[in-house]
Amino acid sequence: MLSFNDKITLEINAGLAGLRVGYGAFPLSIIQYLWRAKQPYNVSVAAEVSACAALQNPGYLERVKSLLVQERERLFKLLEDVPYLKPFPSFSNFILCEVILGKDAKKLKEDLASIGVMIRHYNNKELRGYVRVSVGMPEHTDSLLRCLKLLQ
């Protein structure tokens, strides 16, 4: 079973977030609780092979991590300039933004989707009014910002 930190390392460092892979080593007393939350199925063969290949190439992992951190910083600075978004600092592969100035988070998500850009909004009480923007490649950031400006 994967630990949270190791899962994050694989997702961020190897760009394998969509495969939902990771690993972990825990004391038995913790494993008993984690096992209760485990999904009924293990990762797919493709996900396992991809993770093993990524772990065998630490240089690749470091390059991907460095590019992701660089793009996350650029994306954050650009989102700060969008008047109806309030981005929060992140150490992950996404940036959480509060949607402000009378804009609606769900409508923003739907409007972006209608022009080909996908972000996530939240329905739960604690995060209502927030969206999550994933860090992608520089061209993804550029496309997102063009679309956000269209919606101003």
Side-chain angles (χ1 to χ4, degrees), residues 2-67:
L2 305 158
S3 79
F4 177 76
N5 286 334
D6 292 326
K7 183 173 184 277
I8 293 298
T9 298
L10 282 172
E11 288 180 357
I12 291 175
N13 292 357
L16 300 177
L19 296 177
R20 305 287 188 230
V21 296
Y23 71 93
F26 303 94
L28 183 57
S29 60
I30 294 175
I31 289 175
Q32 293 169 345
Y33 290 102
L34 291 175
W35 204 252
R36 294 178 195 166
K38 180 191 174 297
Q39 296 295 315
Y41 303 104
N42 291 317
V43 298
S44 69
V45 172
E48 185 176 344
V49 169
S50 298
C52 289
L55 289 170
Q56 291 174 6
N57 191 342
Y60 167 78
L61 292 176
E62 192 55 40
R63 281 190 306 280
V64 171
K65 177 180 127 184
S66 177
L67 290 171

Side-chain angles (χ1 to χ4, degrees), residues 82 84-85 103 108 111-119 139-152:
V82 177
Y84 56 89
L85 292 179
K103 288 268 192 183
L108 175 61
D111 290 347
L112 285 171
S114 74
I115 51 179
V117 175
M118 301 300 294
I119 62 172
E139 55 268 26
H140 299 149
T141 298
D142 296 340
S143 179
L144 170 68
L145 267 292
R146 274 193 306 276
C147 292
L148 287 171
K149 286 180 182 178
L150 283 173
L151 299 175
Q152 285 187 0

Side-chain angles (χ1 to χ4, degrees), residues 43-114:
V43 298
S44 69
V45 172
E48 185 176 344
V49 169
S50 298
C52 289
L55 289 170
Q56 291 174 6
N57 191 342
Y60 167 78
L61 292 176
E62 192 55 40
R63 281 190 306 280
V64 171
K65 177 180 127 184
S66 177
L67 290 171
L68 184 131
V69 168
Q70 181 179 339
E71 190 59 23
R72 182 183 64 214
E73 290 170 2
R74 183 174 91 93
L75 175 60
F76 181 82
K77 287 176 184 167
L78 292 169
L79 289 172
E80 283 185 308
D81 292 334
V82 177
Y84 56 89
L85 292 179
K86 179 184 171 190
F88 291 88
S90 175
F91 293 95
S92 186
N93 61 342
F94 64 86
I95 297 173
L96 182 70
C97 299
E98 183 177 9
V99 181
I100 58 175
L101 298 178
K103 288 268 192 183
D104 179 77
K106 184 177 181 184
K107 181 160 178 14
L108 175 61
K109 179 217 183 234
E110 290 168 351
D111 290 347
L112 285 171
S114 74

